Amino acid sequence: MDQLPVLSLLAPLREAFSQHHQVILEAPTGAGKSTALPLAMLNWDELKGKILMLEPRRVAARSVAHYIASQRGCKVGEEVGYRVRGESRSQASTRLEIVTEGILTRMIQQDPELTGIEMIIFDEIHERHLTTDLGLALALEIQGSFREDLKILAMSATLSGLPLTDLMPDAISLKSEGRSFPVEIAYRASSSQQKNRSPHHCIEHMGRCIVDMLADDSQLSQYSHGSLLAFLPGQGEIMKLQEFLSSRLDLNQFSICPLYGSLPPKVQDRAIAAASDGKRKVVLSTNVAESSLTIDGITMVVDSGYKRQASFNARTGVTRLSLKRISQASAAQRCGRAGRLAPGYCMRLWSQEEQGRLLKADEPEVLHSDLIPMVLDAACWGVKSLAELPMLTAASKPNESAAWELLKMLEVVDKQRQITSHGRQAYELGCHPRLAHMLLKAKSLAQNSGEHELVGLACILAGTLESRSRGRHGIDIGGYLREAVQGESGQQVRQWMKKLKVNPDLSACIAEASNEDIAFLLALAFPDRVAKNRGVSGYLLANGTGVTLPEHDALSSVDWLVVADFQENEGRTSGRVYLAAQIDTAAFKSRLAFLVTKQEHCGWDDTKGRFYAETQQRIGQIVLSKTAVSKPDPKQIKSAIIEQIRTKGLGLLNMNDKVLQLQNRLALAATLDKDQSWPDISDDQLIDTLTDWLGPYLSDVRSLSQLKSLDCYNLLLNQLEWNAQQRLDTLFPCHWPMATGTRAGITYDDGGRALLSVRLQEALGMALSPVLANGKLTVTMELLSPAHRPLALTADLASFWQGPYVEVKKEMKGRYPKHLWPDDPANTLPTRFTKKKTLNQNL
């Protein structure tokens, strides 16, 4: 500890905080920023209040707290403690508290002045978790209003691509050297991986590499005293690799230790601790071991090069898990694990050439994650948009909009995006807003009806859905109820009951639970996931998404479901259902009647080629019943026509060549004639403004033939005033007068070219190509044969006459001997006729 590089910055850091309350510290892997720095701060006399240090992951928070407490010679929970979700080891007198990031936002919401806290340390801020960005934003809000004396220390392994100085322009920046030993790097991509680009095909390759490395006493002997750390995308790959290695390694020599977030704390501790019984450890980890966490004795690393990334789909309201390549920054962090305590060795299971193509750094979660919890925090804080907070990166607009819409649907915020009383109660429960809404509604119903078991069942269902580890009992959520009241999820169930001030008999709740009650409660939380069976293609959710169930599952053939847990996976067209409950259709007329809406609908009948109107009973995108309307409202028909055009495109209209030419001419005019304001009539703009330019002419349209008969060219042309039409015709004419009397057509393409097609004999005597738009656009000449076939294409007629024309003349003179092919075309009179007729006319 005395040799860690960050210790050299203790004096500058103390000096910095004496001058300013914001400091940015860049300290690479091995510098000691997560351990030695907070440990030393406990001896600073000027820090009278509590130090709060944020860690991105629970396993790191617990590990760091235990380590610092051991260095201070105290028990965890006394001078040094930690707080993570579901577990707290701290007290009022605790001076250094390690917390996960989500805990900080709760603390700020409950006490905006953060009474008693003097400093907040954001560790590993470069990882850019949602809770990191939000926690920093709220801390800066507090510092700028309630607590000017609050000290903020933002620590990062790298500042590359991290806009911290933009967010904190007055902060003092310090930089520490890293302390890592040299790491030898090798690249070994499997042939199957290069073809398939998926880690599913390289588990065996990875396993063989590990076995070979551990058996290599010659080339890798200098690293053989330590343990090995393997990075994989997720729990599934870890279990497969553990099975592979267990049958090939001597378990008397090696301990295979999995490490991922949902493991019990004792199992995680075993993976982190030093190897025992003279064995070497083989730790199989997700990216929880990438930073902050030091695993004792690691000298060798094997990196799959993949991570599992969650991306929120704003349209379906569900998170999709996909396998992604890690970034170069992440690869460096993983590699550095081998050189924390001694020289190490890292094998990367991809090519060196591919290494150069990896992203420089990981994208922040705020760009692709589910923003519902963050938006709820923002609403509780009193803002109506995440843009009102000092965020490191602007949030994804579609994902944020989807989050606000869901909170409105769940009555958590009102139409003005202000938190409701119901919303504040939901926030206090500390679970996902969907589940909080279900719990509160269940309590209200239980109080009104006397069904006290209903709120207990709601708590059990919420515990099932929030459980980090579930058995496999099929899709029916009813098969998981007993499991949910055990262990960590059982503790959570009882905490919710305590907050709701209810105390039902959980055993009785489970014994008396009916499918009807379960489906009703889940529909409160997931009204957009009521699903109707659509036959061989699975189910249609109320939000319009398709999902499927395993064919052998008992629920796969029922008519109606409410889906509580499903997931979209890359490469699949439909989501996969994991938990659901059957709905009795009779419930839509009783307890679930709140889901059914009545609305007038107009649409297009492809068979009859007409628009129609009907009254529909719907659950979201699912139609329960419909009744034809004999006299539809003309406004509804007009809206249906416009919607149909938006769906199927402008091809439903008479968008002939004249319209296309008008579009291209106006696009050129907007570019080359800045003295006039020209309208945008591009396809995208026309689709966006259908109501304005087409709407007034749809009052009597009822069929496709009537729609096609509309003169779109004149509708669009008439958007121009008369003077503008005249100016357009002057600058970008549709015809060019030839000396022969022919009005040659000019065609404008979408590349900005004006093309004049005319027989070569009629262009004789023209020294230069015509120019348009006051000399800004040279016309491209398409010179044709007497049979109107293309001979040449040129925008420089003078050069054509002097050069390429000679070859054209040689070839064409024999083919068309009756026509004129002069030796001096630039000085020959043009003609529309043969040589003989031309000669007679001239006489």
Side-chain angles (χ1 to χ4, degrees):
M1 289 289 288
D2 295 339
Q3 305 300 317
L4 290 172
V6 77
L7 297 180
S8 65
L9 288 180
L10 287 179
L13 189 60
R14 292 180 82 166
E15 176 65 21
F17 273 122
S18 70
Q19 301 173 21
H20 201 273
H21 289 151
Q22 293 178 359
V23 176
I24 298 170
L25 174 61
E26 184 176 11
T29 298
K33 63 182 182 297
S34 304
T35 51
L37 188 58
L39 176 63
M41 285 180 171
L42 289 172
N43 294 322
W44 290 6
D45 295 334
E46 63 268 29
L47 290 180
K48 306 297 183 184
K50 178 182 286 189
I51 302 169
L52 205 64
M53 185 164 83
L54 278 74
E55 288 293 338
R57 299 177 177 88
R58 297 194 300 176
V59 60
R62 292 173 54 253
S63 175
V64 169
H66 278 283
Y67 181 78
I68 295 176
S70 69
Q71 293 294 308
R72 295 289 291 184
C74 66
K75 294 181 179 179
V76 171
E78 297 175 352
E79 184 185 34
V80 179
Y82 68 87
R83 210 184 323 175
V84 299
R85 185 177 182 185
E87 186 181 4
S88 177
R89 296 282 295 276
S90 65
Q91 54 192 20
S93 60
T94 299
R95 294 187 56 214
L96 171 64
E97 188 172 11
I98 320 295
V99 302
T100 45
E101 297 150 325
I103 298 292
L104 173 64
T105 57
R106 292 262 159 193
M107 294 174 69
I108 290 174
Q109 298 280 12
Q110 293 165 3
D111 177 14
E113 295 187 9
L114 289 179
T115 307
I117 294 172
E118 187 165 353
M119 177 184 285
I120 303 177
I121 302 173
F122 290 87
D123 193 16
E124 309 295 357
I125 201 168
H126 64 277
E127 293 195 12
R128 302 302 308 277
H129 297 289
L130 282 180
T131 42
T132 309
D133 286 12
L134 180 61
L136 179 61
L138 294 181
L140 291 172
E141 286 263 292
I142 290 172
Q143 194 183 56
S145 52
F146 309 113
R147 288 284 311 279
E148 291 183 4
D149 63 318
L150 181 67
K151 296 177 175 63
I152 295 177
L153 173 59
M155 303 196 303
S156 175
T158 174
L159 293 180
S160 176
L162 188 63
L164 265 178
T165 52
D166 295 338
L167 193 64
M168 305 161 64
D170 299 324
I172 296 174
S173 296
L174 299 173
K175 186 172 183 178
S176 167
E177 297 298 322
R179 189 200 75 167
S180 59
F181 293 88
V183 177
E184 180 184 348
I185 300 176
Y187 293 89
R188 189 178 297 176
S190 71
S191 56
S192 61
Q193 183 185 357
Q194 290 181 354
K195 290 178 182 178
N196 296 289
R197 300 288 178 188
S198 169
H200 293 300
H201 301 274
C202 75
I203 293 297
E204 183 175 341
H205 173 65
M206 189 176 197
R208 293 191 184 283
C209 288
I210 291 173
V211 172
D212 291 345
M213 287 171 63
L214 294 176
D216 190 347
D217 292 329
S218 55
Q219 294 184 349
L220 302 179
S221 59
Q222 59 178 315
Y223 314 116
S224 61
H225 62 280
S227 295
L228 183 145
L229 170 61
F231 284 100
L232 295 104
Q235 179 181 344
E237 289 82 11
I238 287 174
M239 295 175 67
K240 289 177 184 176
L241 185 56
Q242 183 177 13
E243 181 181 355
F244 180 93
L245 294 176
S246 295
S247 62
R248 289 166 175 81
L249 293 178
D250 184 352
L251 299 185
N252 292 318
Q253 296 184 51
F254 299 98
S255 295
I256 302 174
C257 305
L259 180 59
Y260 46 88
S262 62
L263 282 172
K266 288 184 179 180
V267 181
Q268 291 178 345
D269 291 344
R270 176 172 172 260
I272 297 168
S276 59
D277 301 328
K279 294 182 180 180
R280 294 171 66 190
K281 284 194 307 180
V282 178
V283 181
L284 310 180
S285 177
T286 61
N287 57 4
V288 298
E290 195 170 292
S291 57
S292 297
L293 202 61
T294 298
I295 301 178
D296 218 331
I298 297 297
T299 58
M300 306 170 83
V301 165
V302 180
D303 188 357
S304 70
Y306 282 93
K307 64 178 179 178
R308 186 158 274 112
Q309 180 174 293
S311 299
F312 183 73
N313 185 335
R315 186 184 66 82
T316 62
V318 73
T319 294
R320 169 181 293 178
L321 287 180
S322 56
L323 291 163
K324 299 287 185 182
R325 271 301 191 189
I326 61 173
S327 65
Q328 292 184 27
S330 183
Q333 286 281 338
R334 293 181 177 191
C335 178
R337 300 290 100 184
R340 293 296 294 270
L341 305 175
Y345 179 85
C346 174
M347 179 177 287
R348 291 172 171 169
L349 301 184
W350 61 94
S351 67
Q352 191 165 3
E353 181 267 337
E354 189 168 6
Q355 168 70 15
R357 298 201 308 267
L358 299 179
L359 292 174
K360 297 293 183 184
D362 292 326
E363 287 186 333
E365 288 185 352
V366 75
L367 294 178
H368 53 73
S369 292
D370 179 358
L371 299 181
I372 292 169
M374 178 182 266
V375 165
L376 177 55
D377 266 301
C380 286
W381 191 245
V383 299
K384 298 178 182 179
S385 168
L386 293 175
E388 296 178 36
L389 296 172
M391 301 288 291
L392 271 170
T393 301
S396 160
K397 290 184 179 180
N399 291 7
E400 183 179 354
S401 296
W404 285 110
E405 288 305 312
L406 179 68
L407 294 184
K408 286 179 194 175
M409 183 173 66
L410 298 176
E411 305 170 25
V412 171
V413 299
D414 60 21
K415 293 181 179 179
Q416 286 72 44
R417 292 187 174 182
Q418 292 181 326
I419 192 81
T420 62
S421 173
H422 178 72
R424 292 209 174 274
Q425 293 178 61
Y427 184 81
E428 290 302 318
L429 288 174
C431 54
H432 194 282
R434 288 182 182 271
L435 302 182
H437 176 71
M438 175 184 70
L439 293 173
L440 292 171
K441 287 292 185 180
K443 179 183 177 181
S444 176
L445 290 166
Q447 289 174 337
N448 295 333
S449 65
E451 299 177 80
H452 297 292
E453 288 75 17
L454 199 64
V455 67
L457 178 58
C459 290
I460 295 169
L461 290 171
T464 301
L465 292 168
E466 292 236 319
S467 175
R468 292 170 65 88
S469 57
R470 289 194 297 261
R472 296 184 179 181
H473 310 300
I475 303 300
D476 192 341
I477 197 172
Y480 296 83
L481 302 185
R482 296 194 182 280
E483 183 182 288
V485 298
Q486 308 296 323
E488 187 177 338
S489 61
Q491 294 177 12
Q492 183 65 73
V493 167
R494 290 170 179 84
Q495 285 181 19
W496 286 324
M497 289 167 55
K498 184 177 180 181
K499 288 182 178 180
L500 291 168
K501 298 178 181 179
V502 295
N503 190 30
D505 183 337
L506 293 179
S507 297
C509 292
I510 294 171
E512 297 175 18
S514 64
N515 283 335
E516 290 76 13
D517 287 342
I518 293 173
F520 168 64
L521 290 170
L522 292 180
L524 292 171
F526 305 99
D528 53 330
R529 296 187 192 173
V530 170
K532 182 181 181 182
N533 194 328
R534 55 182 184 184
V536 292
S537 56
Y539 287 78
L540 175 68
L541 299 185
N543 65 17
T545 306
V547 295
T548 58
L549 278 69
E551 292 182 9
H552 62 272
D553 192 88
L555 292 183
S556 63
S557 59
V558 303
D559 292 331
W560 290 87
L561 294 171
V562 54
V563 176
D565 184 17
F566 84 98
Q567 200 172 85
E568 294 181 328
N569 290 302
E570 208 168 24
R572 292 175 178 263
T573 56
S574 297
R576 180 181 175 184
V577 176
Y578 291 99
L579 290 176
Q582 181 178 357
I583 297 176
D584 184 348
T585 52
F588 293 134
K589 296 181 179 179
S590 54
R591 298 172 88 182
L592 297 181
F594 71 92
L595 295 171
V596 182
T597 59
K598 178 182 177 181
Q599 65 183 64
E600 298 294 322
H601 173 75
C602 282
W604 172 258
D605 188 328
D606 284 315
T607 305
K608 296 180 180 179
R610 295 185 61 84
F611 292 92
Y612 65 90
E614 59 190 21
T615 301
Q616 295 181 345
Q617 299 283 336
R618 302 171 67 99
I619 299 177
Q621 300 290 320
I622 303 171
V623 178
L624 290 175
S625 62
K626 52 191 177 183
T627 306
V629 175
S630 56
K631 293 184 178 181
D633 186 338
K635 291 182 179 178
Q636 289 180 318
I637 291 288
K638 185 182 293 186
S639 296
I641 294 172
I642 289 173
E643 184 59 34
Q644 187 70 9
I645 296 171
R646 284 191 176 132
T647 302
K648 293 193 174 181
L650 294 171
L652 292 178
L653 300 171
N654 182 20
M655 301 293 285
N656 55 28
D657 190 60
K658 289 177 67 178
V659 175
L660 177 62
Q661 287 301 299
L662 182 61
Q663 288 178 308
N664 293 339
R665 290 167 71 204
L666 283 173
L668 270 171
T671 303
L672 300 179
D673 182 31
K674 301 295 186 182
D675 296 334
Q676 173 89 18
S677 177
W678 299 99
D680 178 5
I681 62 167
S682 62
D683 284 359
D684 288 344
Q685 181 66 12
L686 292 180
I687 288 288
D688 290 342
T689 58
L690 279 169
T691 303
D692 300 326
W693 71 271
L694 187 64
Y697 305 97
L698 296 177
S699 299
D700 297 322
V701 174
R702 293 294 182 274
S703 67
L704 187 58
S705 59
Q706 290 176 311
L707 191 60
K708 278 282 189 184
S709 68
L710 293 175
D711 185 355
C712 291
Y713 170 74
N714 278 306
L715 294 185
L716 294 172
L717 182 64
N718 290 335
Q719 290 191 70
L720 297 174
E721 294 182 356
W722 173 252
N723 290 339
Q725 292 183 32
Q726 296 302 303
R727 184 179 180 89
L728 183 66
D729 287 340
T730 300
L731 295 177
F732 302 96
C734 295
H735 297 87
W736 184 263
M738 304 298 293
T740 58
T742 296
R743 295 178 71 244
I746 300 178
T747 302
Y748 298 85
D749 63 25
D750 56 9
R753 183 179 68 172
L755 183 69
L756 188 154
S757 296
V758 68
R759 286 184 298 176
L760 183 146
Q761 281 73 21
E762 295 196 62
L764 295 173
M766 292 180 68
L768 299 171
S769 299
V771 290
L772 308 177
N774 293 325
K776 295 178 182 177
L777 179 64
T778 300
V779 173
T780 299
M781 301 282 289
E782 184 183 43
L783 301 174
L784 308 176
S785 71
H788 292 274
R789 293 187 176 90
L791 294 178
L793 199 66
T794 180
D796 186 351
L797 197 57
S799 295
F800 172 76
W801 292 138
Q802 295 174 10
Y805 170 72
V806 177
E807 296 301 319
V808 171
K809 181 183 69 171
K810 285 180 182 178
E811 184 178 349
M812 293 293 110
K813 200 168 184 179
R815 187 175 300 179
Y816 299 101
K818 295 182 180 180
H819 291 79
L820 198 61
W821 302 98
D823 294 332
D824 186 10
N827 294 304
T828 302
L829 291 175
T831 180
R832 291 186 291 169
F833 308 113
T834 62
K835 287 188 293 184
K836 182 177 180 180
K837 192 170 183 180
T838 301
L839 181 62
N840 290 336
Q841 282 191 334
N842 291 337
L843 292 175

